[in-house]
Amino acid sequence: MGARSALGRGNESFLEVQIRTMTVFTECSFDRSFPPTDRNMIHPNQALQASLDQALRGFTQEASSDADMQELCSLLSELQVTSNKEEWDAVKATCRAHPLFDIIQEDPLSRRIYEKPRGYAGDARMMDLIYKSEQPRGLNDVGQRVYDFVTDRQCAHGARARKMKLAALLNKTMVECDAPEILSVACGHMREAQLLSTNRLNRARRIVAFDQDETSLAEVSRSLGDCEALSLVSGSVRRLIAGRHNLGTFDLIYSLGLYDYLEQPIAQRLTQVLFDALNPGGRLVIANYLPNESSGFMEAFLEWELIYRSKQEIMDMAGGINDGAISSKSYSEEHTGTIGFLELTKLPARAVAV
Ligand SMILES: C[S@@+](CC[C@H](N)C(=O)[O-])C[C@H]1O[C@@H](n2cnc3c(N)ncnc32)[C@H](O)[C@@H]1O
C-alpha cells in the first residue's frame, strides 16, 4: 500500500523504530543515563507506552495537549508502516487498553468513527462533524479538546478543502455548461452543493445524488429541497459496476470520500464505468487520501482504515480506460497536501467522431 512505501525508513524493523523513537521519549520519561548497549533489552512497547502516557497527561492536565498528541500520531504512523501485521495488531491493542482511549472517546466525532453506528466507516453525519458545520452538543472540556485536536489535523483540513474545491467546480460547471447534468457518487449529505445558491443549482438539467445510505439521501432531500434539478438514487457501487443502475450520461461526475475504501481493481473498474457515463467533453473528478501523519492514529484509536494512495496510484485508477477516449488527464492536491485528485475529461463530440 502507498502508505507503507511513502513513510517507511529503509528496512528499519519494528524494534529499530521503537529504539530510535526512544531517544525522543527518554528526554522526559526515562533515565538519561540509559546505556545504549542495553537498548536491545527494551520491550518494544515501551516507547509507545511512554508516548501514550505523555499524551494522556496532556489531555487531563491543563497543559496544551497538541504537541504530545502530535508526537504520538507521528510514532503511530511510523509504526504502522514499519510493523508486520502481528506487531501492528499489538500496537492497536496497546492503544485501546490505555486510559487515553477512553479520553479520545469523549469526543463525539472520534466515538462515531470508532462505533460506526450506521454499520460502515465514514458516514455523512461523521463528515458533518469534520466539516464543523455545527458545534457538537453536550461536550465536556476534555471532549472539546479532543474534538479540537482531531478536527485540526491536516487530513481534516484536507476534507474541508476537498468540499470547497468541489463547490468551486460545481459553480464553474453551472457557469460554463448549458443545463449541465451532474452526478455525485457516494454523495453523503452533498454539503459541497449546499454552498451554491438554489438559483445557481437550478441551472443544471439534473443533479443526481447517488449513495447507498437512504438516511443520508433523506438529508440531501431536506437540505436541497428547493433544488428542482435534484434527483436521489439509492444504490451501491457494486450494482453501478454491474450496470444495474441506468443513470444516463453526465457533464460532471465526481466522487469524494469513496475511493479511499476501494481496492485498486474495483477503483479502476468504477473509474472506467464512470468515465463511460460522461457526455463528450465531460469531466470526471475523483478524490483519494494520500499517506499522512494521522493515519496510524486513525487506525489504532478510531479503527478507521482507509486506502491511502500515492500520486501514481491515484493516476493508475484510470488504468482501465482507453487512452484514445481521454482528452486530458491531470492530478492535483488541495492546499494541505493530504488529498489527491484525479481529473479526466472525455474527448469532445467532434474529436470522438473523427
Ligand atoms: C466519507 S462519506 C463521503 C460523503 C460525501 N461525498 C462527502 O464528501 O462528504 C462516504 C459515503 O460513501 C457512501 N458509500 C460507501 N460505500 C458505498 C457503496 N459501496 N456504494 C454507494 N455508496 C457508498 C457512504 O454511504 C457515505 O455516504
Side-chain angles (χ1 to χ4, degrees):
M1 194 191 296
R4 294 194 180 269
S5 54
L7 287 175
R9 288 198 191 168
N11 292 323
E12 245 181 348
S13 71
F14 176 74
L15 185 62
E16 284 165 337
V17 173
Q18 294 274 3
I19 289 168
R20 180 163 52 74
T21 51
M22 276 300 289
T23 57
V24 176
F25 300 112
T26 46
E27 293 294 318
C28 52
S29 311
F30 296 99
D31 180 358
R32 281 164 193 268
S33 62
F34 205 79
T37 47
D38 284 356
R39 285 188 172 174
N40 286 337
M41 302 298 287
I42 297 167
H43 189 279
N45 242 355
Q46 212 167 352
L48 176 60
Q49 202 69 47
S51 184
L52 288 164
D53 293 347
Q54 189 71 19
L56 179 66
R57 277 195 291 276
F59 272 126
T60 47
Q61 295 168 359
E62 281 310 304
S64 162
S65 56
D66 280 23
D68 299 322
M69 272 302 289
Q70 190 50 55
E71 287 280 2
L72 175 63
C73 287
S74 301
L75 174 59
L76 288 172
S77 286
E78 282 206 62
L79 292 175
Q80 185 188 35
V81 297
T82 53
S83 307
N84 63 30
K85 185 181 176 317
E86 206 173 83
E87 290 162 343
W88 179 240
D89 284 346
V91 169
K92 288 194 282 188
T94 302
C95 290
R96 289 176 201 172
H98 193 275
L100 180 63
F101 178 79
D102 290 334
I103 295 289
I104 301 291
Q105 297 279 312
E106 294 283 335
D107 157 35
L109 168 59
S110 299
R111 195 165 58 244
R112 190 172 184 98
I113 297 172
Y114 183 73
E115 289 179 350
K116 303 174 185 55
R118 300 253 178 103
Y120 61 90
D123 66 71
R125 173 81 189 107
M126 180 212 82
M127 292 308 300
D128 281 354
L129 288 167
I130 293 177
Y131 293 149
K132 298 173 95 168
S133 32
E134 61 186 79
Q135 176 66 19
R137 282 185 294 257
L139 271 186
N140 60 26
D141 281 357
V142 168
Q144 182 71 55
R145 290 170 75 176
V146 178
Y147 178 68
D148 290 344
F149 176 79
V150 172
T151 53
D152 196 30
R153 296 308 88 210
Q154 286 294 82
C155 57
H157 284 280
R160 295 192 286 271
R162 179 179 71 184
K163 181 183 72 164
M164 297 306 290
K165 182 178 163 100
L166 256 295
L169 181 58
L170 280 172
N171 192 46
K172 180 174 147 82
T173 306
M174 300 299 180
V175 171
E176 292 180 354
C177 290
D178 182 27
E181 298 176 279
I182 295 167
L183 168 64
S184 172
V185 179
C187 62
H189 289 165
M190 219 175 171
R191 296 298 186 208
E192 64 284 353
Q194 292 157 37
L195 296 173
L196 277 67
S197 69
T198 306
N199 273 351
R200 193 42 67 91
L201 291 173
N202 278 335
R203 293 171 74 127
R205 176 169 300 134
R206 61 191 184 114
I207 301 174
V208 177
F210 180 93
D211 202 284
Q212 63 171 5
D213 190 327
E214 296 196 6
T215 312
S216 299
L217 291 176
E219 170 59 15
V220 176
S221 173
R222 190 200 63 77
S223 52
L224 286 172
D226 294 338
C227 173
E228 291 155 14
L230 182 68
S231 93
L232 309 174
V233 178
S234 167
S236 70
V237 164
R238 183 187 293 261
R239 288 170 63 88
L240 201 55
I241 287 177
R244 295 174 69 184
H245 289 290
N246 188 8
L247 301 177
T249 56
F250 299 89
D251 301 294
L252 171 65
I253 301 177
Y254 65 93
S255 189
L256 312 179
L258 171 70
Y259 275 69
D260 312 272
Y261 300 90
L262 305 180
E263 296 293 343
Q264 193 72 334
I266 306 286
Q268 288 183 334
R269 184 71 191 110
L270 180 62
T271 305
Q272 200 175 0
V273 166
L274 297 180
F275 187 82
D276 287 347
L278 287 176
N279 288 326
R283 190 193 308 247
L284 171 61
V285 176
I286 296 163
N288 205 107
Y289 266 105
L290 299 159
N292 67 74
E293 279 229 320
S294 299
S295 59
F297 169 78
M298 282 166 50
E299 207 175 307
F301 275 90
L302 311 181
E303 210 169 62
W304 195 11
E305 297 183 19
L306 298 181
I307 297 176
Y308 300 93
R309 288 186 164 88
S310 63
K311 172 183 175 182
Q312 189 56 52
E313 287 165 333
I314 291 175
M315 294 294 271
D316 288 348
M317 296 194 304
I321 301 170
N322 178 356
D323 280 347
I326 299 175
S327 166
S328 71
K329 175 177 174 178
S330 65
Y331 170 84
S332 61
E333 293 173 8
E334 42 64 45
H335 69 91
T336 72
T338 53
I339 298 180
F341 296 85
L342 171 66
E343 185 168 329
L344 302 168
T345 54
K346 203 172 200 172
L347 283 179
R350 249 176 307 137
V352 171
V354 168

